[in-house]
């Protein structure tokens, strides 16, 4: 009998297992695939960032090197090598999780986990079925790509992010359905490698849930990178024509618009994954969106069964899953953990990067909060001109009465790392004056954070 069985080895599950083991709990983890690490390591965060980095080097070599005074005779994309490097990065990272399981004495069982009752799980693999028992069980089975009946992926020409990360050729033309995080990151990869990339989005902007200023600016930036956007277009049908795909959409006036491409990437969100888990056997229900229902302690209707990460409500992000994994482990061990859901940063790894934490301007205005805004353009930074990364801005929103920082939204080179200054400041409930009075190193992108804070305290920008 284990103290804890974790079902699913993504960033939620494996981190939770490690924390359980650290707390002295006898722990096992069940993973249906041969490698550990879940979506994030195998077909998500890590492989997408590997291809984003490779394609960015290629783009810089073909578009910016000459201006930097670097002349290279012929730059060619060796796509199969890019994919091979990505595969190597994934393999090393998954191997790292295996090592962490061994180091923490967590027993790994490969196979599909399915509830028999509230303390027993069967594990079925090619070699047969076994039963494991535990006092507590954590569901960390993650998510899968979502799609609609008009756009069923056949994985050949009509693809999801999983296939887009392992194509055998650079598409001449790629149509992306959905201008969300996956569409923009993978759309960027292929646009940089020379594909003609068109994005069909059914709403009127990109990244509708983020601060409005971000979607507008990013649209302009990505258009310059060569992406083409069709907003307010409803896809009616996607068909595999053998060598091509045909896409029929309706524009906002109801006119039919026809598209053709080598590949069509369906990126219209992800859905919680509970197939084969046997939730009905233990009486655990799901929401209308298929997510496992949990209370504020991430506990299901069955008190000794918890659920974390993409399979429950909230942002579908690896770091959110990890926080929940640690939370549940500590909860089981009798501690009183806490997660500040308002301060889970979101990052989109386009170039420049997009990052955000806290409330958006739209949310705060809708709540009637009086606010001050500081907004500093990246092009005003000496560091940005030196590296030729001048697009974007940093926006800080502070409470008009208390000056507390309530939201920070940015598009900038290195925003993925810069956002943590904002998250730390907000965790300590800093005012924009606090940030403005901290000495920031020169020349860095972080100076734009200080400048935006100076702006939010009352138009005290020093460099614009
Ligand atoms: P998952 O990582 O989905 O892991 C669930 C695991 O459970 C899987 O290994 C699955 O095989 C296993 N499993 C399911 N059912 C069973 C069963 N019955 N028995 C045994 N095992 C089972 N997030 C970020 O924060 N940053 C990023 O840059 C980022 N990039 C992404 C890029 C792409 C292309 C995609 C698709 C996603 C990206 N994400 C990113 C999202 C991130 O991958 C997820 O939020 C994260 O993986 C969720 O972790 P999880 O542990 O909840 O589930
Ligand atoms: P998403 O929710 O980010 O974007 C989906 C987009 O598709 C939205 O803009 C939506 O309006 C649009 N859409 C929905 N139905 C449509 C239709 N019928 N026709 C046209 N457009 C339609 O989902 P996405 O990009 O699939 O990513 C899934 C999740 O994976 C994200 O929610 C994110 O949490 C996670 N992820 C995170 C990354 C990161 O942190 N950098 C990178 C990639 C994924």
């Amino acid at each position: 009998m284990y103290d804890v069985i974790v079902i699913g080895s993504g960033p939620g599950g494996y981190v939770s297992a490690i924390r359980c083991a650290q707390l002295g709990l006898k722990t096992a983890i069940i993973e249906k695939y041969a490698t550990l690490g879940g979506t994030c390591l195998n077909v998500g965060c890590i492989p997408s960032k590997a291809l984003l980095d490779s394609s960015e080097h290629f783009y810089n070599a073909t578009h910016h090197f000459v201006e930097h005074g670097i002349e290279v005779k012929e730059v060619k994309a060796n796509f199969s090598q890019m994919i091979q490097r990505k595969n190597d990065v994934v393999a090393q990272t998954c191997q790292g999780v295996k090592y962490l399981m061994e180091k923490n004495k967590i027993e790994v069982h490969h196979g599909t986990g399915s509830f028999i009752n509230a303390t027993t799980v069967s594990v079925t693999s090619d070699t047969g079925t076994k039963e494991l028992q535990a006092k507590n069980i954590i569901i960390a089975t993650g998510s899968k790509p979502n799609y609609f009946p008009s756009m069923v992926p056949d994985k050949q020409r009509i693809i999801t992010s999983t296939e887009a990360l392992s194509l055998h050729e650079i598409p001449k033309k790629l149509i992306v359905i959905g201008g969300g995080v996956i569409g923009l990151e993978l759309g960027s990869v292929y646009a940089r490698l020379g594909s003609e990339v068109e994005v069909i989005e059914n709403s009127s902007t990109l990244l509708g849930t983020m601060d409005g200023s971000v979607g507008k600016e990013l649209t302009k930036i990505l258009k310059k990178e060569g992406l083409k956007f069709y907003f307010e277009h409803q896809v009616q049908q996607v068909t595999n024509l053998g060598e091509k795909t045909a896409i029929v959409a309706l524009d906002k006036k109801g006119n039919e618009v026809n598209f053709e491409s080598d590949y069509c990437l369906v990126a219209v969100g992800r859905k919680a994954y509970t197939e084969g888990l046997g939730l009905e056997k233990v009486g655990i229900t799901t929401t209308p969106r298929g997510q496992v229902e949990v209370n504020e302690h991430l506990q299901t209707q069955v008190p000794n069964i918890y659920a974390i990460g993409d399979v429950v409500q909230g942002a579908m992000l690896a770091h959110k899953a990890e926080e929940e994994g640690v939370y549940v482990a500590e909860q089981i061990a009798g501690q009183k953990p806490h997660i500040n859901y308002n301060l889970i940063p979101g990052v989109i790894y386009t170039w420049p990067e997009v990052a955000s934490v806290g409330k958006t301007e739209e949310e705060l205005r809708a709540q009637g909060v009086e606010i001050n805004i500081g907004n500093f353009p990246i092009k005003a930074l000496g560091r940005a001109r030196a590296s030729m990364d001048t697009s974007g801005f940093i926006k800080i929103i502070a409470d008009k009465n208390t000056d507390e920082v309530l939201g920070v939204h940015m598009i900038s080179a290195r925003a993925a790392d810069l956002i943590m200054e904002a998250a730390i400041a907000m965790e300590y409930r800093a005012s924009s004056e606090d940030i403005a009075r901290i000495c920031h190193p020169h020349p860095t992108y972080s100076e734009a954070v200080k400048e935006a804070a100076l702006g939010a305290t009352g138009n005290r920008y020093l460099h614009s």
Side-chain angles (χ1 to χ4, degrees):
M1 167 81 84
Y2 294 104
D3 291 314
V4 181
I5 289 176
V6 182
I7 309 177
S9 73
Y14 86 75
V15 166
S16 194
I18 292 173
R19 188 70 188 119
C20 286
Q22 284 176 347
L23 290 164
L25 300 166
K26 186 169 165 13
T27 307
I29 192 162
I30 305 174
E31 171 54 55
K32 70 186 225 188
Y33 289 117
T35 55
L36 303 177
T39 304
C40 171
L41 271 61
N42 290 282
V43 290
C45 322
I46 300 300
S48 59
K49 266 79 255 180
L51 289 184
L52 276 156
D53 277 329
S54 298
S55 60
E56 195 188 319
H57 287 312
F58 178 74
Y59 189 81
N60 283 334
T62 49
H63 289 74
H64 299 310
F65 272 16
V66 170
E67 205 173 336
H68 275 287
I70 305 165
E71 289 178 14
V72 273
K73 278 218 176 80
E74 197 189 0
V75 183
K76 274 198 335 208
N78 179 345
F79 189 57
S80 57
Q81 167 58 20
M82 274 186 202
I83 295 287
Q84 187 53 51
R85 190 194 78 92
K86 181 268 302 179
N87 291 342
D88 293 344
V89 171
V90 167
Q92 280 164 17
T93 316
C94 292
Q95 196 59 30
V97 176
K98 188 166 178 261
Y99 159 78
L100 290 173
M101 296 300 102
E102 285 159 12
K103 183 186 160 204
N104 287 284
K105 302 192 172 40
I106 295 160
E107 288 181 25
V108 177
H109 300 270
H110 286 283
T112 301
S114 189
F115 284 102
I116 291 178
N117 58 47
T119 51
T120 313
V121 179
S122 65
V123 184
T124 306
S125 66
D126 293 345
T127 56
T129 298
K130 59 186 166 187
E131 286 184 14
L132 306 176
Q133 289 195 314
K135 292 180 199 149
N136 300 283
I137 298 169
I138 302 172
I139 302 170
T141 50
S143 63
K144 291 275 178 212
N146 192 23
Y147 53 85
F148 300 102
S150 57
M151 51 181 90
V152 180
D154 58 28
K155 303 188 179 184
Q156 301 298 319
R157 294 280 159 187
I158 306 166
I159 58 176
T160 69
S161 53
T162 301
E163 294 76 50
L165 291 166
S166 290
L167 288 180
H168 300 292
E169 58 178 353
I170 299 171
K172 283 191 191 62
K173 183 165 175 183
L174 175 70
I175 297 270
V176 181
I177 306 179
V181 195
I182 290 180
L184 299 182
E185 288 189 358
L186 295 180
S188 291
V189 165
Y190 287 106
R192 291 167 188 169
L193 295 177
S195 302
E196 200 184 322
V197 177
E198 298 187 349
V199 179
I200 307 176
E201 165 58 55
N202 70 2
S203 71
S204 58
T205 53
L206 290 183
L207 307 173
T209 55
M210 296 188 87
D211 194 88
S213 57
V214 167
K216 271 189 221 143
E217 182 74 8
L218 191 65
T219 308
K220 277 194 236 156
I221 292 171
L222 292 179
K223 274 185 180 170
K224 278 193 211 150
E225 211 173 78
L227 280 88
K228 213 165 162 183
F229 295 98
Y230 294 87
F231 291 111
E232 297 180 87
H233 277 62
Q234 293 272 345
V235 171
Q236 303 298 302
Q237 193 57 47
V238 184
T239 315
N240 179 340
L241 299 178
E243 297 288 290
K244 298 218 165 288
T245 68
I247 297 131
V248 184
L250 293 181
D251 69 12
K252 66 175 170 185
K253 291 183 185 146
N255 298 322
E256 197 174 288
V257 188
N258 290 287
F259 300 85
E260 221 181 57
S261 63
D262 305 348
Y263 294 90
C264 174
L265 167 60
V266 178
V268 294
R270 294 179 60 85
K271 54 177 185 257
Y273 184 70
T274 56
E275 228 174 273
L277 201 50
L279 290 180
E280 62 293 342
K281 301 230 183 84
V282 278
I284 294 176
T285 52
T286 53
T287 66
R289 299 186 56 202
Q291 297 152 327
V292 174
E293 296 222 44
V294 285
N295 64 17
E296 70 276 23
H297 297 301
L298 300 165
Q299 200 169 26
T300 66
Q301 288 108 322
V302 183
N304 68 316
I305 304 178
Y306 298 80
I308 58 170
D310 279 14
V311 81
V312 300
Q313 69 201 15
M316 286 184 159
L317 295 172
H319 41 287
K320 178 261 195 186
E322 289 187 31
E323 290 303 314
E324 291 185 338
V326 170
Y327 178 98
V328 164
E330 293 180 350
Q331 182 78 19
I332 291 170
Q335 299 186 357
K336 298 263 177 278
H338 171 72
I339 297 175
N340 186 349
Y341 282 99
N342 184 41
L343 293 188
I344 293 177
V347 176
I348 304 167
Y349 296 81
T350 48
W351 195 262
E353 292 163 338
V354 178
S356 162
V357 66
K359 298 268 186 266
T360 65
E361 181 180 342
E362 291 77 13
E363 281 171 324
L364 291 165
R365 293 207 188 281
Q367 288 166 14
V369 180
E370 291 190 303
I371 51 177
N372 283 330
I373 294 176
N375 194 330
F376 190 78
I378 296 296
K379 66 172 184 274
L381 290 175
R383 184 74 188 85
R385 281 191 300 277
S387 63
M388 283 178 23
D389 281 316
T390 50
S391 304
F393 60 82
I394 293 185
K395 172 174 174 177
I396 293 187
I397 311 172
D399 188 296
K400 196 170 197 161
N401 301 306
T402 64
D403 195 33
E404 179 175 349
V405 177
L406 302 175
V408 179
H409 311 279
M410 51 177 80
I411 302 187
S412 168
R414 303 176 198 180
D417 298 296
L418 286 179
I419 198 66
M420 277 318 294
E421 174 177 359
I424 292 168
M426 290 168 74
E427 188 64 53
Y428 287 96
R429 304 197 63 180
S431 63
S432 61
E433 182 77 28
D434 289 328
I435 298 178
R437 292 215 170 263
I438 295 170
C439 182
H440 285 66
H442 173 77
T444 60
Y445 290 95
S446 74
E447 287 172 287
V449 179
K450 180 184 173 102
E451 288 279 357
L454 281 165
T457 62
N459 206 11
R460 286 155 53 198
Y461 302 105
L462 294 169
H463 293 89
S464 81

